[in-house]
Amino acid sequence: MRRPTAPNPPKFPRGGVRAPSPDQIEDEATLRGALFEGDWPALAALHSVTFAGCVFRRVNLTGSVWERVRLLDVRFEDCDLSGARWTDVSLERVEVTGSRLLGLQAAGVRLRHVRLTRVHAPLSVWQRADAAHLHLNGCDLSEASFMEANLPGAVLRDCRLHRTDLRGARLDGADLRGSALGGLRAGAADLQGVTVEAAQVLDLAQLLGVQVEELPGEA
């Protein structure tokens, strides 16, 4: 089985990124090489907007509503997207680090070459997400839902997957080594082709219908 390949990183303009003017942010706009820092009320509701080669740094996007937004070569640093709602959103060559995605609603999101690092995303919803070259490192995905998501070759390293719902997900070639799997919600068929460590097998025994007991000691 081929090992998953790392996501390609974002590409940014040679001249760097700079803050745009608020009047540049409108429906169906394309923003290139933009730097967003702090509070940006204009980002609260977006429709058919493209961000290319942009950086979001410590931006408060809680409760924001984005529809048909495209993120191409974008980085989120220490942002808060808790309670945000994404509809028909696509991400390509995107990095998210040190950010909060608590309760993010991203059903059906398209993910290509995406890396999430140290992201706090309990209760987030990724149902029917379609991903390729997805890497998650040190993320909290407790009670998140990836039901029926397409996640072949996804790498979830050192993540917390307590009661994370993977039922119906396609996980061929996925790598869950180093992640906490206690309480994971998945069936045996969902875990076909997944790589785990020997120490994680006990956490999966109940899902696989296996009873684990030690032999009684000699009298």
Side-chain angles (χ1 to χ4, degrees):
M1 182 181 298
R2 295 179 58 187
R3 290 188 178 276
T5 57
N8 293 330
K11 301 176 182 179
F12 299 103
R14 291 184 179 180
V17 294
R18 62 188 64 187
S21 61
D23 59 11
Q24 289 180 265
I25 305 172
E26 59 182 3
D27 288 349
E28 302 184 6
T30 297
L31 290 97
R32 302 183 186 277
L35 170 64
F36 300 93
E37 294 184 284
D39 291 329
W40 278 83
L43 298 176
L46 300 176
H47 183 274
S48 298
V49 174
T50 297
F51 295 96
C54 297
V55 175
F56 295 79
R57 186 173 296 149
R58 295 183 294 278
V59 180
N60 183 1
L61 295 167
T62 57
S64 55
V65 179
W66 290 4
E67 182 178 357
R68 299 185 65 185
V69 169
R70 186 185 183 204
L71 301 167
L72 174 64
D73 295 312
V74 170
R75 179 181 296 141
F76 292 89
E77 303 172 2
D78 303 313
C79 294
D80 194 341
L81 290 88
S82 298
R85 287 180 288 163
W86 287 358
T87 303
D88 196 15
V89 171
S90 67
L91 289 73
E92 184 170 353
R93 294 192 300 275
V94 172
E95 295 179 347
V96 185
T97 61
S99 298
R100 287 174 54 84
L101 278 62
L102 175 66
L104 170 72
Q105 303 290 309
V109 67
R110 183 178 185 272
L111 306 165
R112 294 292 184 272
H113 293 279
V114 173
R115 183 186 296 274
L116 275 61
T117 305
R118 301 186 312 280
V119 166
H120 185 73
L123 301 171
S124 53
V125 176
W126 309 83
Q127 288 177 313
R128 300 180 305 282
D130 184 23
H133 304 288
L134 174 66
H135 279 220
L136 288 77
N137 303 86
C139 298
D140 186 350
L141 300 168
S142 301
E143 299 188 77
S145 175
F146 289 87
M147 289 181 65
E148 300 180 358
N150 189 36
L151 306 171
V155 175
L156 284 74
R157 184 80 75 240
D158 298 323
C159 293
R160 179 172 168 77
L161 302 178
H162 176 66
R163 295 187 62 78
T164 302
D165 199 337
L166 293 172
R167 290 175 295 178
R170 181 189 170 199
L171 295 163
D172 301 336
D175 188 341
L176 307 184
R177 288 177 295 173
S179 292
L181 306 182
L184 185 70
R185 304 178 69 185
D190 303 320
L191 299 175
Q192 293 296 311
V194 171
T195 299
V196 297
E197 298 174 292
Q200 295 170 298
V201 174
L202 283 177
D203 289 329
L204 299 178
Q206 185 175 358
L207 298 177
L208 301 176
V210 175
Q211 183 173 339
V212 179
E213 292 185 8
E214 298 293 338
L215 285 170
E218 294 184 3

